[in-house]
Amino acid sequence: MKILYSPQRCDDVIEYVFENDIIHATHNGQTDTFDFSQMPDGEATSIETTLPVNPILSARRVDGVLEVVLLKWIGPDASEEERFPKWQEV
């Protein structure tokens, strides 16, 4: 799976745990699980969550590789890497 964090200024935190094509997102002690393991090639059109804000901004599978853009809150002193992230393989 490839991920790209989309930075947004906020003092809150969302934590992610990755297991193959499954993402666990935790916000304020509440966790939601997003299972993309059965997703075919193409774009996800509707991603629902139980969290107050949806941490999955987009998801698509291209030639069998899952690519997900995730919400990433950053603080006022965020590093250059946090402010301008690059795609990562997890």
Side-chain angles (χ1 to χ4, degrees):
M1 171 183 355
K2 294 169 107 177
I3 62 161
L4 178 66
Y5 289 116
S6 178
Q8 295 183 25
R9 174 65 188 96
C10 183
D11 290 325
D12 222 345
V13 175
I14 296 178
E15 296 175 335
Y16 298 99
V17 175
F18 305 97
E19 292 179 58
N20 300 317
D21 286 347
I22 300 171
I23 301 170
H24 305 279
T26 303
H27 173 253
N28 287 337
Q30 183 180 356
T31 300
D32 198 357
T33 298
F34 303 88
D35 186 349
F36 297 102
S37 60
Q38 301 300 312
M39 182 179 158
D41 276 5
E43 188 91 19
T45 56
S46 177
I47 302 171
E48 296 181 13
T49 184
T50 59
L51 299 173
V53 62
N54 197 333
I56 310 291
L57 302 181
S58 69
R60 69 181 182 167
R61 191 175 297 275
V62 178
D63 295 328
V65 177
L66 181 62
E67 299 175 346
V68 182
V69 178
L70 300 170
L71 176 63
K72 178 72 172 184
W73 288 322
I74 59 173
D77 299 326
S79 68
E80 184 86 4
E81 184 177 313
E82 289 174 309
R83 290 183 290 136
F84 303 100
K86 294 182 170 107
W87 283 97
Q88 304 174 30
E89 285 200 38
V90 295

